[in-house]
């Protein structure tokens, strides 16, 4: 498949930068990522209207009403090679990078970033200033994944291939990476390194004592994340989105 065919297939959703196996595990699609890098290699810097410069073959997408995507005016951009499904709302300013996948009914709020190859499921809410990290290299590295019906609170940062499973809720300000520990206070365990945020978990920012003795003497602490409960009817009611907005 040529890089041009790949970009078209990414936009249509026919191919994705990551896939889920029968066990629910996500894996990077190496061939897709190689094709994206090939597109960069074959692009030349070109001036576009509006005073910006980018590769000639990676210009931002333009949507029509027939696409079923509502991108509100004010500085948002969806780069070539990203898939945005019908029913998605993008508030300004927001940015969706190449290789990203956003499924139906998702809200991308102001100042949000959906990084390269990040995968976002159906009916997800990405609140204001959410940052989903992107990854093109190393070629085998898995991207950030946010599965269906998750709610990501304002200012959350999710990077380094972290997976947030279906229906999980991240409170404002939660930061997740490969090195930030996550403690499940309900089941009284620490999640293994690389283990996804479980389905329907409610996660808040937390802290833990620094491991260094001197740092402990100074009263210093390090960032972590805490699963404090799992969703129930009461928490679901507080997360209902106003259908009139859609």
């Amino acid at each position: 498949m040529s890089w041009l065919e790949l970009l078209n297939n990414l936009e249509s959703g026919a191919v994705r930068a990551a896939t889920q196996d029968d066990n629910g595990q996500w894996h990077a699609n190496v061939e897709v990522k190689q094709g994206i890098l090939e597109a960069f290699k074959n692009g030349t810097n070109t001036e576009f209207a509006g005073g910006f410069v980018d590769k000639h073959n990676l210009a931002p997408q333009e949507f029509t009403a027939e696409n079923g995507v509502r991108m509100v005016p004010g500085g948002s951009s969806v780069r070539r090679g990203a898939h945005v499904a019908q029913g998605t709302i993008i508030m300004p300013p927001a940015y969706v990078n190449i290789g990203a996948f956003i499924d139906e009914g998702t809200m991308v709020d102001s100042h949000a970033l959906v990084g390269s190859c990040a995968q976002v499921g159906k009916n997800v809410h990405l609140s204001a200033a959410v940052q989903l990290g992107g990854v093109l290299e190393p070629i085998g590295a898995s991207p950030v994944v946010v599965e269906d019906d998750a709610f990501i609170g304002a200012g959350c940062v999710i990077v380094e291939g972290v997976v947030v499973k279906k229906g999980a809720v991240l409170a404002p300000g939660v930061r997740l990476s490969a090195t930030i520990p996550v403690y499940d206070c309900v089941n009284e365990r620490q999640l293994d390194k690389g283990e996804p945020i479980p389905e329907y978990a409610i996660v808040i920012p937390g802290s833990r004592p620094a491991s260094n003795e001197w740092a402990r003497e100074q009263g210093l602490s390090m960032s972590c994340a805490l699963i404090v409960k799992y969703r129930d009817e009461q928490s679901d009611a507080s997360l209902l989105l106003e259908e009139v907005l859609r």
Side-chain angles (χ1 to χ4, degrees):
M1 183 188 307
S2 70
W3 59 261
L4 179 58
E5 292 174 310
L6 174 65
L7 293 178
N8 290 335
N9 286 335
L10 282 167
E11 290 180 9
S12 70
V15 299
R16 297 177 64 167
T19 54
Q20 193 174 26
D21 63 26
D22 294 338
N23 296 319
Q25 302 296 313
W26 288 88
H27 306 278
N29 189 330
V30 174
E31 291 183 356
V32 167
K33 294 175 74 176
Q34 287 174 331
I36 292 173
L37 293 174
E38 190 68 20
F40 275 98
K41 181 180 178 180
N42 283 273
T44 56
N45 283 346
T46 301
E47 296 179 7
F48 291 91
F52 66 92
V53 176
D54 198 3
K55 299 289 187 177
H56 79 282
N57 52 355
L58 300 178
Q61 297 180 46
E62 296 183 0
F63 296 99
T64 66
E66 286 70 29
N67 293 120
V69 174
R70 181 148 65 95
M71 187 158 70
V72 179
S76 296
S77 183
V78 176
R79 202 176 196 184
R80 181 87 161 94
H83 173 75
V84 180
Q86 290 188 359
T88 298
I89 299 172
I90 302 175
M91 299 299 291
Y95 188 70
V96 181
N97 208 345
I98 188 169
F101 183 98
I102 300 177
D103 217 332
E104 298 173 356
T106 286
M107 164 75 81
V108 181
D109 214 335
S110 301
H111 297 280
L113 166 68
V114 181
S116 55
C117 300
Q119 307 289 296
V120 181
K122 292 181 172 67
N123 303 315
V124 171
H125 189 105
L126 302 179
S127 301
V130 165
Q131 307 288 292
L132 304 184
V135 58
L136 284 176
E137 296 180 292
I139 199 72
S142 294
V144 168
V145 177
V146 179
E147 293 187 358
D148 297 353
D149 303 314
F151 189 100
I152 312 300
C156 288
V157 178
I158 309 173
V159 296
E160 296 178 343
V162 168
V163 175
V164 177
K165 300 294 284 184
K166 179 179 179 179
V169 177
L170 272 56
V174 169
R175 294 174 178 268
L176 298 174
S177 74
T179 57
I180 293 177
V182 180
Y183 297 92
D184 187 337
C185 300
V186 178
N187 296 302
E188 300 182 353
R189 60 180 290 264
Q190 180 180 347
L191 269 60
D192 294 332
K193 186 175 182 179
E195 183 178 349
I197 300 298
E199 291 187 2
Y200 304 111
I202 296 180
V203 187
I204 67 170
S207 63
R208 61 192 176 109
S211 56
N212 178 275
E213 182 176 350
W214 178 87
R216 288 199 302 270
E217 291 174 354
Q218 309 309 309
L220 303 180
S221 59
M222 301 171 64
S223 175
C224 68
L226 306 176
I227 299 173
V228 293
K229 63 181 294 186
Y230 286 80
R231 286 174 68 168
D232 53 25
E233 291 183 3
Q234 182 177 357
S235 56
D236 285 347
S238 68
L239 294 169
L240 287 176
L241 300 179
E242 294 288 347
E243 288 301 319
V244 70
L245 295 177
R246 300 183 175 278

